[in-house]
Amino acid sequence: MPQTQARSTAAAAPAPDATVPYDLIELLFFAYRDFVGGPDLILAEYGFGRAHHRVLHFVLRRPGLTIAELLDILKITKQSLNRVLKELVETGFVEQRTGVQDKRQRHLHATAAGQDLALRLVRLQAQRIQAALADLAPEAAETVAQYLAGLIDPSERHKVQGLLAAPR
């Protein structure tokens, strides 16, 4: 087969599969892109990325969170967390406090600067969510929450629901 013909064959889109909800998959990609887009621009001002955002978000929501608890929430490697956490601590957005009962534990707390940044980011995302829900029926927020929960791995749903119900 000539090379030009092989290239055009490889570039052809696959035949549509009616069982694949391409529209919803692509809407989710675009929604996520725009949901994180504003915060990404702010984070870039500090040399931070999405991992920093996630850490800061959960540290703000759960003051005193341990590193083990944060690893369990984020499902990232300890090495990845340590790199991000080190940057957040060194730049004054997060502080680590030694555990009172267990001196080996490090409890994480957002500093005033960390709180300000985390709230700045969450306000952007809250505005986007509120604007999207504004055009829907009042009960739509519950339907959206059920849908999003349904996207979470079934083995994790109960734990996530517990986290949502009980911020510290």
Side-chain angles (χ1 to χ4, degrees), residues 5 17 32 39 42 48 50 56-57 60 62 73 88-89 97 100 111 113 116 159 163:
Q5 192 176 13
D17 180 344
Y32 179 72
I42 293 169
F48 294 159
R50 292 179 186 161
L56 199 52
H57 175 86
L60 177 71
R62 290 166 184 76
I73 289 169
L88 288 169
V89 168
R97 299 178 191 163
V100 175
T111 64
D116 289 346
K159 181 171 43 173
L163 287 170

Side-chain angles (χ1 to χ4, degrees), residues 8-80:
S8 64
T9 303
D17 180 344
T19 65
V20 176
Y22 284 108
D23 56 341
L24 291 178
I25 291 168
E26 291 174 6
L27 280 170
L28 193 54
F29 280 136
F30 290 121
Y32 179 72
R33 177 199 66 192
D34 293 346
F35 182 70
V36 298
D40 282 351
L41 292 173
I42 293 169
L43 291 161
E45 295 172 14
Y46 299 90
F48 294 159
R50 292 179 186 161
H52 297 85
H53 184 182
R54 288 189 297 271
V55 168
L56 199 52
H57 175 86
F58 286 105
V59 168
L60 177 71
R61 291 280 292 154
R62 290 166 184 76
L65 186 71
T66 66
I67 296 207
E69 290 168 329
L70 188 54
L71 283 168
D72 189 49
I73 289 169
L74 298 177
K75 301 293 183 202
I76 61 175
T77 66
K78 193 171 186 177
Q79 182 180 6
S80 294

